[in-house]
Amino acid sequence: MDQNIELHLVIAWNAAVQASKLIRRVVEEGFEVQYKEDESPVTHADKQASRLIESMLKSTNIPVLSEEADTESYEKRKSYEWLWIVDPLDGTREFVRGGYDYTVNIALIHDEKPVLGVIVSPYHEHGWWGVE
């Protein structure tokens, strides 16, 4: 599969920025904290941001592995040539306690190696990106 990395960067960047805006709205409106099986916190912001990012990455026709979504088995995923890896709200503990050091993270993997990455800080409204 031939991939247009520049187009994927634009899509990932826009997804991370939109997810950041959504997370800021959740902070303004308030939220409840739930806990996963491993006792790590999860909020409405995590789940909504995950769904938003997944919907925006769908146009790339590349599978998405998100921390907050159901995933296919490793047996299936290990054969993927291309894969998006998403942490829609990295630093949920910091987010829950009212801190500012949390980010939206999106990476594109090709043949088990990262080729593109986007990180956006919702609180600071600043982001970074990199391409191999």
Side-chain angles (χ1 to χ4, degrees), residues 76-128:
K76 184 167 184 179
R77 289 192 324 260
K78 73 179 183 179
S79 66
Y80 293 159
E81 180 181 359
W82 292 90
L83 176 67
W84 289 107
I85 298 180
V86 174
D87 190 341
L89 203 169
D90 185 32
T92 302
R93 282 187 176 90
E94 175 79 0
F95 175 77
V96 166
R97 72 172 188 83
Y100 311 120
D101 294 326
Y102 51 88
T103 57
V104 175
N105 303 335
I106 302 174
L108 180 60
I109 308 301
H110 179 246
D111 290 334
E112 300 181 6
K113 295 179 183 146
V115 295
L116 177 158
V118 171
I119 300 172
V120 174
S121 168
Y123 178 80
H124 299 287
E125 297 185 48
H126 190 77
W128 305 265

Side-chain angles (χ1 to χ4, degrees), residues 19-65:
S20 292
K21 290 178 182 179
L22 182 152
I23 290 167
R24 285 196 310 271
R25 278 195 308 274
V26 170
V27 169
E28 291 170 6
E29 296 168 2
F31 57 89
E32 292 182 15
V33 180
Q34 299 174 332
Y35 292 89
K36 301 182 212 178
E37 286 182 21
D38 66 0
E39 298 184 16
S40 62
V42 65
T43 69
H44 190 57
D46 296 87
K47 294 175 183 179
Q48 280 190 320
S50 182
R51 285 192 294 272
L52 174 67
I53 292 167
E54 285 184 71
S55 72
M56 293 181 75
L57 296 178
K58 192 173 190 168
S59 67
T60 66
N61 294 315
I62 297 172
V64 176
L65 174 61

